[in-house]
Amino acid sequence: MKNRVMLCREGDIPEVSARGFDPQRQGIDTVFVVKKDGEYFAYADICPHYGDTSLPWKKDTYLDSAGENIVCAAHGALFNIRSGLCTSGPCKGDALRPIPLIQEPDGSLWITLED
Ligand code: FES
């Protein structure tokens, strides 16, 4: 069964920033959304390098200081914001798992969870 969950409103994520979410109420962010050039990109918060490692070293720190890449704090892997592809680091060539994001006309952002 599928279950739609609202993450936030578009205005909750400023340009060139990211935010983590806990849509399954597990007590840990499992999905994050990046806003870049007016577009939103959502990924599972799991680094492809090692196990189920979460990317940020503290809440919502998914981007490098320049806001050009997604970064994994564990070993410094860099990921393209648009594609999720790792371009540098120990998992170069692997990719983050994209999460389909639904943007409603009212400005709300949703994902669909599988039960
Ligand atoms: S766990 Fe992400 S770079 Fe190693």
Side-chain angles (χ1 to χ4, degrees), residues 47 49-50 53 72 74-77 90-91:
C47 182
H49 174 222
Y50 187 77
T53 304
C72 178
H75 307 107
C91 49

Side-chain angles (χ1 to χ4, degrees), residues 17-48:
S17 70
R19 186 171 156 191
F21 298 93
D22 179 13
Q24 294 166 300
R25 301 180 189 273
Q26 297 177 321
I28 185 170
D29 289 343
T30 55
V31 173
F32 66 99
V33 178
V34 181
K35 183 178 183 185
K36 176 84 170 178
D37 298 328
E39 294 184 67
Y40 297 87
F41 306 92
Y43 296 100
D45 187 354
I46 299 173
C47 182

Side-chain angles (χ1 to χ4, degrees), residues 47 49 70-79 86 88-91:
C47 182
H49 174 222
I70 297 165
V71 63
C72 178
H75 307 107
L78 298 178
F79 301 87
C86 181
S88 174
C91 49

